[in-house]
Amino acid sequence: MKKIIIATLLTFFFSCNTKEEKTNIDTTNISSTEVTETANEINRIEPPYWWTGFKNTKLQLLVKHPEIAKTTPEISYAGIKIENSKKGESPNYLFINLDISKNTKPGKFNITFKSENGTKLTQTYELKQREKPAEDYIGFDSSDVLYLITPDRFANGDTSNDIPLKKSGMTETGEKVTLLKEATINRKDDYARHGGDIRGITQHLNYINDLGFTAIWSCPLLTNDMPKSSYHGYAITDYYEVDPRFGTFAEYRELADEARKKGMKLVMDQVANHCGLEHWWMKDLPFNDWVNYQTAFENGEKTIHSNHRRTSNQDLYASKGDKEGMANGWFVSAMPDLNQRNPYMATYIIQNSIWWIEALGLGGIRQDTYPYPDKEFMSKWAGAIMTEYPNFSIVGEEWSSNPLLIGYWQTGANNKDGYESNLKSTMDFAMQGKTVEAFNEEESWDKGLVKIYEGLANDFHYTNPKDIMIFPDNHDMSRIFTQLNGDIPNTKMALSYQLVLPRIPQIYYGTEILMNDFEKPGDHGLIRTDFPGGWKGDTANAFTGEGLSVQQKDMQSYLKKLLNFRKTSKAIHDGKTTHFAPFMGTYFLFRTLGDETVVHIINKNKKPITIDLKRYAEMNLTGKTLKNVITGETFIWNDDIELTKKGSIILTTK
């Protein structure tokens, strides 16, 4: 039934049948003649190319060109039918809805745009052959650990793109000028661009792989042609262009390919809620409802911001005003809120996601600000992707400490309003917060380790807990080392605990070397600080270990051992979870699958303590030899265990 519903939604979604001009040129029986010379007479057409062989045979083309709405498009290529076209309310847009039959062959063909006076424009378009079956696009799961990178701050692998010319331009005196609004490098300014790029990530894939990570999530790499703070990537101004300060499409594809060769997946950070104020369409919007509160924007009125009341998505009693204020308001004044209720915008966003999956061979998508767009659209968006790629993975950012809200967005949730998200994974901000509380608080009946014990008990609410993404911190909050007040044993315990949970863990770059934001806690520019060794001349180099402190090297080694163990532990990936209530400042959690048991022991006691192991007799470990994952030492599980120092112990029967 779910598949039928999704198929019905997709058929409706891509038809866009409001006031279209019915062209209905059926070319099914026309012989396919591929063009020999490429024509490029149209300013912009998106998607720039497509593929044959999708389950959904519909394709919407956005065509942008002066007075293009006054033309009629024609295509003569076997298997392609123009179902209809829709003129934009701006005369410079035309939307063409195609049907591409299942037996259409890949190739190039011309789209001819004829005007009433007999003039015509020609644009060559290409349908490519898909590189692999849809089922082979495998997403991230509980066997993976994602390494989150802010690309501008990780490594500068190509200094030639630091101050790029997006297009060549000349002043009256013949001097070159940049057409990007922020084209300077200033590493002393936390909110300026620092020069990190795609090449820098690719050059250090061995480092990431050797640490034990199996997937890379980079913050957005598409063009952000904003006048300031463009480094973070979340104010996209071109959804089909790699930001030239990060590199080229070829380099982005190379990153995906090289990561794949090492067994690592590439996860793309996408933004369906908003674009950047300098997006090319903001100066000539195709429809009067392309963005929310468009009239106010065009009249130069004050920005109407979102009320950020995310609970209105689930609240049975929420007013219409609160719901609209949440979904329609702009996130910030520099980020126009996209109107996904416009069917052409909706289709544009869906096709853009699919285009990048196919073009790069992605292993997942992280969708920014998930509760902010129209939630019915988000269901269709995720459903469209998962229908095409059944083994794919998407994680949505729901920044909430309430497990009820987190669980609402996961596919299969038994929601009272009947909402089906089609979203495999959500983000566990609730457990992230409980992790910090557990290690910062002194132990008592209702404080300390009981916070994560009871926090994990909330898993009963989730459709599939092991598909939820857990993290100690990310690019939008203080570093975990800062949140835990610079306590190294507590930081290690927090990391090891999250890495053995039934979850998909994500770790932010630099966590392995105790990067922090003590100087200005919570300051985004400082949180996203430069990774040492990523720039020529850095005094320290985390890639080689040169210049790191003893504590930094120790944390690097600790995480490397733990991550590489986790990579092969089926008990952690898929095993049964059993935990026991905190006892005398300790907390025992077990993961079991077949003959493999992983034991995670947290000990917050600063003085030696002996724990009676008969309390855990139901785990049937008596007499068995277990190995310490970090030290390599062995331990025979008998009557008791002596814990000599504060910290975590990870034991395995493997």
Side-chain angles (χ1 to χ4, degrees), residues 5 40 54 111 191-192 265 277 279 432 472 585 603 606 628:
I5 292 172
N40 287 296
F54 283 114
I111 307 173
Y191 288 87
K265 299 162 182 146
L277 189 60
H279 192 288
Q432 189 282 329
N603 174 34
K606 297 177 182 178
N628 188 308

Side-chain angles (χ1 to χ4, degrees), residues 249 252-253 256-257 260 268 355-362:
F249 172 83
Y252 202 174
R253 177 60 195 253
D257 290 343
R260 196 157 38 245
M268 185 177 186
W355 191 90
W356 283 107
I357 294 169
E358 200 76 22
L360 296 177
L362 292 175

